[in-house]
Amino acid sequence: MYLADGRTPPPGAVAPAGRGTRPGRRGGAIPATVLALGTVSLVTDVSSEMVTAVLPLYLVSGLGLSPLGFGLLDGVYNGVGALVRLLGGRLADRGGGRHKAVAAAGYGLSALCKPLLLVAHGLPLIGAVLAADRTGKGLRTAPRDALISLSCEPAARGRAFGAHRAMDTAGALLGPVVAFLVLRVAAGGYDAVFTVSGCVAALGVLVLLLFVPAGPANSPTSTTGPHTPVRALLRRPAVRRLTGCAVLLGLTTVSDSFLYLALQRRLDLSESWFPLLPLGTSGVFLALALPMGVLADRFGRRRLFLCGHLALLAAYALLVTVSGTSPVLAGAVLALHGGFYAATDGVLAAATADAVPKEARGSGLAVVQTGQAAARFACSVAFGAAWTAWGDRTALGAAAAGLAVSALAGAVLLRRGSPPGKAR
């Protein structure tokens, strides 16, 4: 890595072949921008997952929220960013060099929110803090992914996003471990977790400012090309179909927190062990992110995205049909959950980058991500209400049935947009 100097590459320069690219076999080079952003995501995810790992129990057991109340807050935590992702993408596309600046603003806002959890104890205040935190995530996601896509050759986008998601997931793997250790040794309990999380988040912002170059976003296309409005992007058939597919599947993608709460009930785990459940998901995600990215480049990014949801469907089915406290159940559910993320998270971003021009890369990524995030927000609220009314097993059964229908509809939707004989 190197200190970012903000210099723009000369016209006609190709970012992946320039300075800072990690050498490797043909098609295997990982640009320095991807590695730097991966480090930022690793550090930031340690902070974020510390909070995510303890938040369900803190809200449900500590503050006594009902599943419906938690569903509303969880929807805020995961869905409010959808309202600002388009803004983040548009700001990043307007003028050269803004991808890094907008991403830094988003990371900084999220870092400021972690210490505020120390003083927010009521439902309205916690909801406001979580909304601000997710606003930061919404601002940074599209500009960050645009930087990744602009830093590599189109044929290697799956590999680049896979490498970034692997580093990101390493942080997600470490976050619950740190939270678990802090809860074990610190007298402050949850407050100690929130304090440490804020310090780690600040470190992530510092790494971004010092080590992430702004060069790949400063291409002549991004500085001189006209801004592409959202409605024009949605008129592009490939963007419209990807967005529709992401929305359909997002409407039946149950929040991670609900899945872990359901698994905890099946296993009858104590509260102190709950923060370790995300480790199973993160471990599998970390192991499979890069291989799945390589597979996406060869097998087809949209096709792999759909297949990944079949793994999630299998996890739902196990939670609905299998009873008892066998550790085999936990291992199978978490392995399928991690496989789902490895096959979908970075893969969808790579597929979207194929469908939009460079000058609208941030906005195009934001359009698809906004549709997906808004759908998952709706799913979180609906699932919380279903859990409250019917219980977790029946609610998961309904989600599984909906996901099966959505996957079939998504396959039909994406197939219609694929030329004959071309990998989908």
Side-chain angles (χ1 to χ4, degrees):
M1 270 184 225
Y2 49 87
L3 294 176
D5 57 13
R7 289 175 295 181
T8 62
V14 180
R19 180 191 61 162
T21 299
R22 181 178 175 179
R25 58 187 175 82
R26 188 175 185 270
I30 300 176
T33 297
V34 176
L35 297 177
L37 286 169
T39 302
V40 174
S41 294
L42 188 157
V43 174
T44 302
D45 248 36
V46 171
S47 169
S48 297
E49 293 304 320
M50 286 180 65
V51 174
T52 302
V54 303
L55 196 61
L57 283 179
Y58 175 66
L59 296 175
V60 175
S61 299
L63 300 183
L65 290 182
S66 68
L68 175 58
F70 176 72
L72 291 170
L73 272 182
D74 190 71
V76 168
Y77 192 70
N78 291 292
V80 163
L83 301 177
V84 294
R85 290 193 187 204
L86 288 174
L87 175 63
R90 288 171 66 88
L91 288 175
D93 288 337
R94 288 182 181 274
R98 290 193 179 179
H99 292 85
K100 177 181 174 179
V102 175
Y107 279 108
L109 178 59
S110 293
L112 289 174
C113 290
K114 299 300 189 299
L116 294 180
L117 289 171
L118 293 168
V119 296
H121 297 294
L123 182 61
L125 284 177
I126 292 176
V129 173
L130 295 180
D133 178 74
R134 294 299 91 178
T135 297
K137 181 175 176 61
L139 281 175
R140 72 183 185 244
T141 300
R144 181 203 65 199
D145 285 349
L147 278 170
I148 295 171
S149 70
L150 292 167
S151 300
C152 60
E153 297 175 0
R157 280 183 186 137
R159 183 188 303 273
F161 277 102
H164 173 268
R165 293 321 195 246
M167 298 179 72
D168 179 274
T169 307
L173 190 64
L174 292 172
V177 175
V178 177
F180 175 77
L181 294 175
V182 171
L183 284 176
R184 287 279 182 172
V185 304
Y190 293 117
D191 286 350
V193 171
F194 300 148
T195 300
V196 175
S197 173
C199 295
V200 176
L203 176 61
V205 177
L206 183 63
V207 173
L208 173 70
L209 294 175
L210 293 179
F211 294 103
V212 174
N218 293 335
S219 64
T221 306
S222 64
T223 58
T224 61
H227 179 67
T228 305
V230 171
R231 61 180 178 274
L233 287 169
L234 288 174
R235 283 198 292 265
R236 301 174 73 94
V239 176
R240 189 168 59 249
R241 291 188 178 96
L242 277 171
T243 304
C245 184
V247 168
L248 282 172
L249 294 168
L251 286 171
T252 49
T253 300
V254 173
S255 164
D256 296 356
S257 297
F258 275 126
L259 186 140
Y260 297 141
L261 283 171
L263 186 57
Q264 184 216 15
R265 293 193 172 193
R266 299 290 183 278
L267 301 177
D268 196 24
L269 284 179
S270 67
E271 292 185 3
S272 62
W273 290 97
F274 181 83
L276 296 183
L277 285 179
L279 294 182
T281 295
S282 298
V284 176
F285 191 178
L286 175 62
L288 296 182
L290 185 55
M292 285 294 182
V294 175
L295 182 61
D297 290 336
R298 299 176 180 176
F299 178 67
R301 292 158 189 164
R302 291 174 292 175
R303 182 183 293 163
L304 185 62
F305 176 72
L306 287 170
C307 289
H309 283 83
L310 299 181
L312 183 62
L313 179 60
Y316 290 174
L318 287 176
L319 286 171
V320 170
T321 60
V322 178
S323 300
T325 60
S326 170
V328 175
L329 172 63
V333 169
L334 296 176
L336 289 167
H337 197 224
F340 155 70
Y341 274 115
T344 59
D345 191 13
V347 172
L348 178 61
T352 304
D354 296 337
V356 294
K358 287 183 178 181
E359 67 271 12
R361 189 64 51 80
S363 298
L365 286 162
V367 165
V368 178
Q369 292 167 353
T370 296
Q372 184 184 57
R376 289 183 175 180
F377 170 82
C379 179
S380 188
V381 175
F383 188 82
W387 184 323
T388 301
W390 305 331
D392 63 313
R393 195 180 294 271
T394 302
L396 275 170
L403 182 57
V405 173
S406 296
L408 180 61
V412 173
L413 184 65
L414 292 183
R415 182 179 292 273
R416 288 179 177 175
S418 299
K422 187 173 181 179
R424 292 178 287 273

